[in-house]
Amino acid sequence: WLDSNPDTAARATLERLRDHVKRVEALQGDVPPETATRLVRTARDIGRSLREDDDTALATAGDRLDEF
């Protein structure tokens, strides 16, 4: 979707999320439940920001990633 609808901020936040997901995969999912929950919420915020053009949701996702 981002390929046909460029959004630099959303793409950058999504890449940051992917970095965290790769770490979780490297740990074979052995992370605290709070970490997994934060990643899921972040993914949902990014999705909401793209679906609804919600800049607040994208900022929230970025803030969550900053907390790691």
Side-chain angles (χ1 to χ4, degrees), residues 15-29:
E15 288 299 322
R16 291 178 58 202
L17 175 62
R18 284 184 185 148
D19 290 342
H20 288 286
V21 170
K22 287 179 185 178
R23 289 185 192 115
V24 170
E25 289 172 348
L27 294 170
Q28 297 178 347

Side-chain angles (χ1 to χ4, degrees), residues 1 5-6 10-12 15-17 39-40 42 49 54-55 59 68:
W1 191 87
N5 300 285
R11 185 175 296 280
E15 288 299 322
R16 291 178 58 202
L17 175 62
L39 291 173
V40 169
T42 300
S49 76
D54 185 345
D55 291 335
F68 279 103

Side-chain angles (χ1 to χ4, degrees), residues 3-4 11 19-20 22-23 25-26 28 30-34 38 41-43 45 52 59 61 63 65-66:
D3 290 337
S4 60
R11 185 175 296 280
D19 290 342
H20 288 286
K22 287 179 185 178
R23 289 185 192 115
E25 289 172 348
Q28 297 178 347
D30 188 20
V31 295
E34 297 82 18
R38 188 179 303 161
R41 287 182 179 162
T42 300
D45 286 337
E52 301 172 12
D63 290 345
L65 290 170
D66 289 342

